[in-house]
Amino acid sequence: MNERIDQLAQELWEKTRALKLDWRVMANPLGRDEFSVDLGKGYRFHIWLVVSGENRAITLQLWKDQRPVLESIANNWPEISNGEILQTRVKKFRAYSDLFDAVRESVYGGEETIGEVEQLLRKIG
């Protein structure tokens, strides 16, 4: 776990929710959902989701000049320690899930788009 990139995830989420970042869909031959945002000065973030059955893993990478420099992965199969789920891993997965959902919504539109389509369908009769 890389705490520095985890801290940046919260700020990315805030900027994404405020529509201040222009996330793009990445062409991906592996079939995973992957998005990227260019911050300028050679910096870029990539985020992707890998699904296997009920298991989910979200990877967040910071790139500099076309190569990854920091990476962190959150998953929904947290380890068990003394019979208790490690809450920090659960919290991290929820934060990464929120970020991934915000990114996907900013790219594809989300609730705002659905609302507009509903209104258009009502006008049709």
Side-chain angles (χ1 to χ4, degrees):
M1 174 165 62
N2 189 322
E3 291 181 21
R4 298 186 96 176
I5 198 168
D6 293 343
Q7 292 169 355
L8 293 173
Q10 176 64 31
E11 190 166 349
L12 282 171
W13 178 80
E14 291 169 3
K15 303 280 187 218
T16 299
R17 294 293 297 161
L19 302 176
K20 293 182 178 183
L21 296 175
D22 188 22
W23 289 90
R24 306 281 179 169
V25 176
M26 298 293 295
N28 193 315
L30 301 176
R32 65 185 181 209
D33 286 336
E34 184 172 352
F35 303 94
S36 175
V37 64
D38 184 3
L39 300 177
K41 296 189 178 185
Y43 290 100
R44 173 181 299 270
F45 275 99
H46 290 253
I47 189 168
W48 66 85
L49 170 68
V50 175
V51 178
S52 177
E54 292 185 19
N55 297 324
R56 309 268 185 281
I58 301 170
T59 303
L60 180 62
Q61 284 183 336
L62 174 61
W63 289 53
K64 171 69 172 153
D65 298 329
Q66 304 300 321
R67 61 184 203 37
V69 293
L70 287 176
E71 178 179 280
S72 185
I73 300 171
N75 58 56
N76 69 338
W77 58 92
E79 295 176 2
I80 306 268
S81 175
N82 296 330
E84 294 183 23
I85 296 174
L86 297 175
Q87 292 302 315
T88 56
R89 291 192 63 179
V90 171
K91 184 178 177 182
K92 177 180 175 177
F93 180 74
R94 286 181 181 157
Y96 275 44
S97 292
D98 289 347
L99 173 58
F100 187 83
D101 290 343
V103 167
R104 186 171 28 207
E105 186 174 310
S106 77
V107 170
Y108 294 123
E111 290 298 320
E112 190 172 293
T113 299
I114 296 294
E116 289 177 17
V117 170
E118 288 174 340
Q119 289 178 5
L120 289 171
L121 288 173
R122 285 187 196 115
K123 288 181 182 178
I124 292 172

